[in-house]
């Protein structure tokens, strides 16, 4: 058992966390006369290390997930979800969201397609909540930074929010609050052709290139902010605003996250730096969930598909769920970290 634990720790630290890369960058910067223990040197080391680590993990993960996703085009996904009913349909939709787009804006066209195809509204909302909040990529990246326990619990909690949120919307019978052009659209049930292995590999490669181009600016900005927080902002400031002494830290972090737009890969470096500086775990995770699920651009896009009452209900359910999860993580932080 101890051998397995040591092997897993090695995998988590050196393969996923790439701590060897951090040490290598630090040694190289020192050779060039940069003091990596100082603010400037530490910021440069943090920036280069996190950008390279996230880039490598991101490209590998996008390729794997896109290859898997090639087996689940919208038509096939609709057929899979239509076989389930009640809460099981919400669970399947939430699970399907883990192998689909990496940000909320790219999830909305699929949400519209599923809704137009006649899938229950609550089921499509479970997908919409799950898709940007929890995916296989976020699981691996969270493991590389926060550890296995936090990563697994984060994903499970995100799935629970997606299932409960979709179920609540279903129980409220808000189908009439979907815009008319979506309700009146007739679903086109076209069987997707089976792809060869080579075609799936080419599809996955294309997804790596296109997705990486989209998220690279957010990675650079996120890592840049993380480097500033990590090396320039006093720890006492972070502890005062987002630490255990501020009972409203979770609410503040959630509200701060809403106007931003980034995917999980651009948000994690900021979360890492905040946690290092003394912010509570639940507060940091609430910030991440708010940024990825309730970004202002995605809300504007969603408004084109649904009426204000349904949009407000969606925002309220997600916000309350994220805040509750944040406080729960803060309570049980010492069991997870």
């Amino acid at each position: 058992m101890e051998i397995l634990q040591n092997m897993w720790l090695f995998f988590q630290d050196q393969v996923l966390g790439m701590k060897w890369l951090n040490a290598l960058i630090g040694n190289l910067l020192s050779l060039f006369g940069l003091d990596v223990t100082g603010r400037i040197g530490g910021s440069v080391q943090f920036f280069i290390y996190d950008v390279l680590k996230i880039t490598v993990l991101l490209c590998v993960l996008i390729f794997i997930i896109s290859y898997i996703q090639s087996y689940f085009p919208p038509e096939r996904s609709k057929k899979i979800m239509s076989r389930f009913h009640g809460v099981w349909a919400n669970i399947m939709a939430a699970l399907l969201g883990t192998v689909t787009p990496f940000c909320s804006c790219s999830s909305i066209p699929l949400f519209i397609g599923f809704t137009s195809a006649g899938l229950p509204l609550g089921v499509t909302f479970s997908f919409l909540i799950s898709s940007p909040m929890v995916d296989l990529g976020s699981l691996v990246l969270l493991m590389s930074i926060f550890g296995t326990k936090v990563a697994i619990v984060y994903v499970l909690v995100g799935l629970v929010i997606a299932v409960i949120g979709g179920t609540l919307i279903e129980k409220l019978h808000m189908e009439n609050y979907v815009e008319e052009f979506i309700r009146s659209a007739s679903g086109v049930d076209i069987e997707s052709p089976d792809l060869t292995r080579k075609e799936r590999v080419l599809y996955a490669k294309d997804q790596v290139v296109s997705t990486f181009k989209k998220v690279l600016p957010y990675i650079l900005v996120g890592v840049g902010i993380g480097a500033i927080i990590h090396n320039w902002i006093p720890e006492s400031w972070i502890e005062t605003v987002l630490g255990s002494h501020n009972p409203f830290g979770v609410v503040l972090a959630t509200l701060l996250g809403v106007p931003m737009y980034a995917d999980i890969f651009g948000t994690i470096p900021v979360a890492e730096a905040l946690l290092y500086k003394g912010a509570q775990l639940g507060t940091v995770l609430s910030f991440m969930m708010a940024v990825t699920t309730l970004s202002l651009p995605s809300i504007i896009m969603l408004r084109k598909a649904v009426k204000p009452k349904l949009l407000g209900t969606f925002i309220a359910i997600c916000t309350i769920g994220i805040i509750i999860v944040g406080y729960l993580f803060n309570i049980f932080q010492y069991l997870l970290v």
Side-chain angles (χ1 to χ4, degrees), residues 166-324:
T167 302
L168 285 174
I169 288 174
E170 187 73 26
K171 296 296 183 184
L172 292 172
H173 301 291
M174 305 191 74
E175 289 77 11
N176 290 333
Y177 295 98
V178 176
E179 291 293 349
E180 183 62 31
F181 77 93
I182 294 177
R183 285 190 289 153
S184 59
S186 56
V188 180
D189 195 8
I190 301 174
E191 185 67 33
S192 295
D194 289 330
L195 301 176
T196 64
R197 182 177 298 179
K198 183 179 180 180
E199 288 172 333
R200 295 187 194 281
V201 170
L202 290 174
Y203 168 77
K205 286 182 179 178
D206 290 340
Q207 289 297 301
V208 170
V209 174
S210 63
T211 304
F212 183 69
K213 285 181 179 178
K214 290 178 185 176
V215 304
L216 180 59
Y218 304 113
I219 293 174
L220 296 177
V221 171
V223 175
I225 294 173
I228 293 171
I229 294 172
H230 195 275
N231 294 281
W232 295 87
I233 297 182
E235 189 172 322
S236 59
W237 291 12
I238 302 296
E239 288 182 346
T240 300
V241 178
L242 301 177
S244 58
H245 298 296
N246 183 5
F248 301 105
V250 171
V251 178
L252 179 61
T254 303
L255 295 178
L256 284 174
V258 172
M260 299 184 182
Y261 175 57
D263 57 22
I264 191 76
F265 304 106
T267 311
I268 283 179
V270 180
E272 177 187 12
L274 288 172
L275 189 66
Y276 176 82
K277 281 292 186 176
Q280 288 190 288
L281 177 62
T283 305
V284 169
L285 294 181
S286 290
F287 171 77
M288 287 174 54
M289 288 182 168
V291 171
T292 54
T293 309
L294 294 173
S295 66
L296 191 59
S298 69
I299 291 173
I300 293 172
M301 285 181 65
L302 187 58
R303 171 62 187 89
K304 296 178 182 178
V306 302
K307 296 178 181 179
K309 187 171 183 179
L310 177 53
L311 180 64
T313 302
F314 166 74
I315 294 171
I317 289 173
C318 289
T319 302
I320 293 170
I322 289 170
I323 290 173
I324 291 172

Side-chain angles (χ1 to χ4, degrees), residues 62-72 99 136 200 204:
I62 293 174
F63 183 87
I64 295 172
I65 294 170
S66 297
Y67 191 89
I68 296 171
Q69 188 183 336
S70 69
Y71 288 93
F72 298 96
V99 291
L136 298 179
R200 295 187 194 281

Side-chain angles (χ1 to χ4, degrees), residues 38-65:
R39 285 184 172 179
I40 295 176
S43 298
V44 173
Q45 182 183 14
F46 182 96
F47 185 84
I48 295 174
Y49 163 64
D50 260 35
V51 168
L52 290 178
K53 178 182 72 173
I54 292 174
T55 296
V56 172
L57 288 175
L58 176 63
C59 291
V60 172
L61 290 168
I62 293 174
F63 183 87
I64 295 172
I65 294 170

Side-chain angles (χ1 to χ4, degrees), residues 120-189:
L121 187 63
V123 173
T124 59
F125 266 99
S126 287
F127 167 82
L128 183 62
I129 297 170
S130 167
S131 182
M133 186 185 292
V134 288
D135 56 55
L136 298 179
S138 67
L139 174 62
V140 175
L141 275 178
L142 284 165
M143 286 171 59
S144 73
I145 293 174
F146 298 112
T148 307
K149 289 182 182 178
V150 172
I152 292 175
V153 174
Y154 173 88
V155 170
L156 290 176
V157 167
L159 290 173
V160 169
I161 291 177
V163 172
I164 292 176
T167 302
L168 285 174
I169 288 174
E170 187 73 26
K171 296 296 183 184
L172 292 172
H173 301 291
M174 305 191 74
E175 289 77 11
N176 290 333
Y177 295 98
V178 176
E179 291 293 349
E180 183 62 31
F181 77 93
I182 294 177
R183 285 190 289 153
S184 59
S186 56
V188 180
D189 195 8

